[in-house]
Amino acid sequence: VQLQASGGGLVQAGGSLRLSCAASGRTISSYCMGWFRQAPGKEREFVAAISRGGGSTDYADSVKGRFTMSRDNAKNTVYLQMNSLKPEDTAVYYCAAKEGYALSRDALRYDYWGQGTLVTVSS
């Protein structure tokens, strides 16, 4: 499966963005999906994950209550709605697909990755 993330950009602190990750080559209903991010000089970190049917989600503590991950399997797309953005949310955001049914925060368990989209939050 190929993944294409989009929707990044420059936003002021307190603002919102919605990231999209469009899949091709195979239906995403076969995968758990995740969002990760990597800030300059830092390691890639887990942001959110969603189960194959969308009924279960998991969020990093740093984004819980501000970010919402969702999916539309009919459109082969997952989303990350980001509200109340903070400068520390600035990073390249990656979507990823994981075979199997269990959610995971471990990037090594994901099998396919998109190219990333840059989110910059100004103070």
Side-chain angles (χ1 to χ4, degrees):
V1 61
Q2 291 79 47
L3 304 174
Q4 179 78 35
S6 62
L10 174 63
V11 62
Q12 288 188 332
S16 298
L17 280 175
R18 188 176 82 154
L19 305 184
S20 298
C21 176
S24 60
R26 192 173 176 185
T27 174
I28 61 168
S29 61
S30 300
Y31 302 96
C32 292
M33 301 295 293
W35 284 99
F36 291 78
R37 66 187 182 186
Q38 187 166 18
K42 295 187 176 181
E43 293 187 353
R44 190 170 300 189
E45 66 174 0
F46 168 78
V47 175
I50 192 167
S51 60
R52 291 167 62 156
S56 297
T57 52
D58 184 27
Y59 298 94
D61 288 345
S62 59
V63 307
K64 197 171 295 183
R66 300 187 298 121
F67 291 11
T68 302
M69 185 173 184
S70 61
R71 65 192 299 160
D72 186 337
N73 287 344
K75 294 183 178 180
N76 232 25
T77 303
V78 296
Y79 305 96
L80 185 68
Q81 177 66 44
M82 306 186 295
N83 298 329
S84 302
L85 282 161
K86 304 175 181 180
E88 51 263 44
D89 294 318
T90 295
V92 177
Y93 283 71
Y94 299 88
C95 61
K98 173 188 170 295
E99 295 180 350
Y101 290 89
L103 298 182
S104 178
R105 297 186 172 197
D106 185 354
L108 295 177
R109 294 189 177 274
Y110 285 78
D111 302 288
Y112 305 96
W113 290 83
Q115 86 294 353
T117 185
L118 176 62
V119 172
T120 304
V121 184
S122 62
S123 57

